[in-house]
Amino acid sequence: MVPVGVDTGGTFTDFVFVEGGRLKVLKLLSTPDNPARAVIEGLKAIAPNRARRIIHGTTVATNALLERKGAKTAFITNKGFEELLFIGRQNREKLYDPAAKKPEPLVERELCFGLNCRVNSKGEVVEPLKEEELQNLISKLKELQVQSAAVCFLFSFLNPRHELEVKEALERAGIPASVSSEIVPEFREFERASTTTVNAFVLPKVSGYIEHLERAIKPEDTLKIMQSNGGIISSATAKREPVRTVLSGPAGGVVGAWRVGKEAGFEKLITFDMGGTSTDVSLIDGRPAVTTEAKISGIPVKVPVIEIHTVGAGGGSIAWIDAGGALRVGPQSAGADPGPICYGRGEQITVTDANLFLGRLDPENFLGGGMRLYPERLKPFFEEMAKRLNIEPVELAEGIVEVANAQMERAVKVISVERGYDPQDFTLVSFGGAGGLHAAFLAQSLKIPRVLIPTNPGVLSAFGMISADVVKDFSKTVMVKAEEVEKVEEALSELQSRALKAMEEEGFSEGDVAVEKLVDARYKGQSFEITVPYCRNFKEKFEESHRKLFGYTHEAEVEVVTARVRAVGITEKPKLPAFEEGSENPPPGALLKEKPVYFKGEWIKTPVYSREELLPGNKITGPAVIVEYSATTVVPPGAKLKVDRFKNLIVEVNLD
């Protein structure tokens, strides 16, 4: 079967596939009104006469959540707890902002309902569910034209009986139901309820989208969906549990960067994915970090996701002047339609326009010459905004780039410096269509010694999808002392059995599945946990992690809160071709031309190279511009570039 990775972004939909033993790429403008249209159009052009293994990173769940355009959802819980989603937690994230507000729940207060049933803290039924009350509720939901329901009862992670009874009745009535005991069977009712509600909110839209794709592909094709945890799942699972896909595109990029970086010999990586609408950064210290404490648009999502920090600064981010007269960039984006000014229709200056104005983008080689840019449209727009700021147009363009860089620099510090990591110990892996334009400048600011730009950096997320394994996560709250090893191992054994059964449904035999056991541990009395690999001395591992994160340990009793099992089914991955390194001098055909490019207040005559013509071993001293089909890389003055044996670009930046 032909592996095909599909990544839907705000501006472009990217495809990576293997044909004749070689990796090939395709980029199409996204179709925001119906994302499936660009996906189907691209798939029609790829291996039309062969069976395909399609792995898709979708933004449907993400967009539905961010734009609040999901299903009309009801929330069902115990009587007296109808306000659960509205009360949330007492902690104030913006402690010194007197006007700070909590994000509005996805469910209207009028659609929150309570039933007279109860399971106690031991998992015992103390008040049974009443059939008549349930049927009355279902009649009311139908009257209100509810499209989806989230069900979360107290202590259902110990005994899911009532949730399952409600789910069965709702689905008989034609109302899709998400229950917390299946989505996230863990304690902390607010986070469990929030995650279940997210699943219910996006379920009709995601399942409809996936079914549309299933009808469009060939019967012999298979369709897998990228998860937020860095693994892939069947389309059937994704339709039931779409909350697991809310960060699927960015997760694909981290997996792709991890694989490329590891092959190139770098274990410590900071991934930098700059696309059209946003920038995603993540830290890899040997392997991608996974968390169960993520928030999307301020809403807790407790399923495992790769730790990714996102800022609203991308190539399509719009530059504007705030009420105080300061230059700002984003988070608003021009997207694919109308797009930047230089795409031909936009009328608001974007970061892409600024890079073109500075000469860092080459209009003759954008998308391999396959997409026309209109640099002649830029001048009046830059002159008008520059006049309002009382600066020159070229200073405005450089300022826009520097403001965007500053936002991305803060994002990298969040996942590195703020967590006790020194950026100087890492390599910055840059990808996304706009990443190479900014990566070296970002590395200089953060004192990161080198930047790695993989081949086809604009489609690395799609490459990550065909490099990902099938991954299933299972969890169970146990709440026992660290010394009660038998109870912990009993829970892990139960989860392992469930995991192996689920992987069998995904097509893997037990011998082809790697099982990782983990526990969430904490000092008794704490309100947060640290996830560590389970082994006989896991208590020591916990204390090592605690010391690294917080700088201390103490003598309090350690308890295990949640047992976790991650099952990984290893998939066949495309090989990264390696080559012998040759001459340091680029071949004559690699130099396309020389042109003026603006750096630090002056125009400098700068060579423009075709990346496709560069060979392993070639070295270039900046300034230089490297163009290719999916991206452009800028090498600042003083930086040194080398092409490694995998044809990655390794840029050693000047830290003086």
Side-chain angles (χ1 to χ4, degrees), residues 136-186:
N136 289 338
L137 173 59
I138 290 174
S139 297
K140 191 168 186 178
L141 296 181
K142 285 184 172 181
E143 287 177 20
L144 294 167
Q145 298 182 322
V146 164
Q147 299 168 313
S148 186
V151 185
C152 179
F153 292 138
L154 295 179
F155 301 109
S156 62
F157 58 89
L158 295 175
N159 184 347
R161 176 177 167 182
H162 290 158
E163 285 193 354
L164 297 178
E165 288 176 4
V166 173
K167 179 183 180 181
E168 185 180 347
L170 286 167
E171 292 186 341
R172 277 200 309 266
I175 301 173
S178 302
V179 298
S180 72
S181 54
E182 293 178 348
I183 302 299
V184 53
E186 301 174 24

Side-chain angles (χ1 to χ4, degrees), residues 335-350:
D337 185 14
I341 295 169
C342 62
Y343 282 15
R345 288 190 296 169
E347 295 188 350
Q348 292 180 289
I349 296 173
T350 67

Side-chain angles (χ1 to χ4, degrees), residues 2-8 13-18 24 26 43 46 53-57 459 461-467:
V2 176
V4 182
V6 186
D7 176 39
T8 303
T13 296
D14 302 330
F15 302 81
V16 170
F17 57 100
V18 179
K24 295 195 173 182
L26 173 67
L43 289 174
I46 296 170
R53 183 173 69 93
I54 303 164
I55 301 99
H56 181 26
V459 296
S461 291
F463 171 75
M465 289 162 197
I466 58 174
S467 300

Side-chain angles (χ1 to χ4, degrees), residues 55 68 101 128 137 171 214 237 255 275 314 326 333 339 370 372 396 429 489 531 571 579 632 639 653:
I55 301 99
R68 301 297 181 101
K101 293 182 179 179
L137 173 59
E171 292 186 341
E214 288 174 329
T237 303
V255 171
S333 172
R372 183 184 172 190
L396 168 63
V429 182
E489 291 186 345
T531 303
T571 61
F579 307 88
T632 297
V653 299

Side-chain angles (χ1 to χ4, degrees), residues 202-214:
V202 303
L203 189 147
K205 184 165 279 193
V206 173
S207 59
Y209 173 79
I210 293 175
E211 286 168 3
H212 181 43
L213 291 181
E214 288 174 329

